[in-house]
Amino acid sequence: MNDISELLRALLDKLSNTEEVEREFKDMMNDDPQLKEDYKLWCDDMGYSIKTGYQDFIDEQMQDRDEFWESMNEDF
């Protein structure tokens, strides 16, 4: 079983923007039926919709990163 959260985080670290992450993830799911099934289960477990789950997760990760850096800047 694929760890979708870790996969999306790795793609986000590797690629420069969320559009590239979305495109890469969609391509990966089109090429790998098991990944697509794992994604559906992940969405169900996480409470995301299948249509927008990956984007919602990416948005949350980006918000968390922004909040982290904002708090770091406030400390200095």
Side-chain angles (χ1 to χ4, degrees):
M1 181 174 201
N2 294 290
D3 185 337
I4 304 300
S5 297
E6 286 302 313
L7 176 61
L8 289 170
R9 281 188 200 105
L11 288 173
L12 197 54
D13 288 342
K14 175 183 161 187
L15 302 170
S16 61
N17 63 55
T18 58
E19 291 85 17
E20 289 181 33
V21 172
E22 179 179 353
R23 186 173 39 252
E24 180 71 18
F25 186 64
K26 282 182 175 180
D27 288 346
M28 291 170 72
M29 283 198 300
N30 286 333
D31 294 340
D32 185 349
Q34 183 60 54
L35 178 61
K36 194 171 201 171
E37 286 303 311
D38 291 345
Y39 171 70
K40 290 177 184 177
L41 292 171
W42 176 81
C43 284
D44 188 49
D45 288 346
M46 300 291 285
Y48 292 124
S49 95
I50 292 171
K51 185 174 181 180
T52 63
Y54 60 88
Q55 187 61 51
D56 294 340
F57 182 80
I58 291 168
D59 290 345
E60 289 172 8
Q61 293 299 301
M62 293 301 291
Q63 183 177 357
D64 288 348
R65 289 178 183 197
D66 288 345
E67 289 173 2
F68 170 79
W69 288 111
E70 286 173 11
S71 71
M72 290 296 292
N73 288 332
E74 289 172 3
D75 291 340
F76 291 104

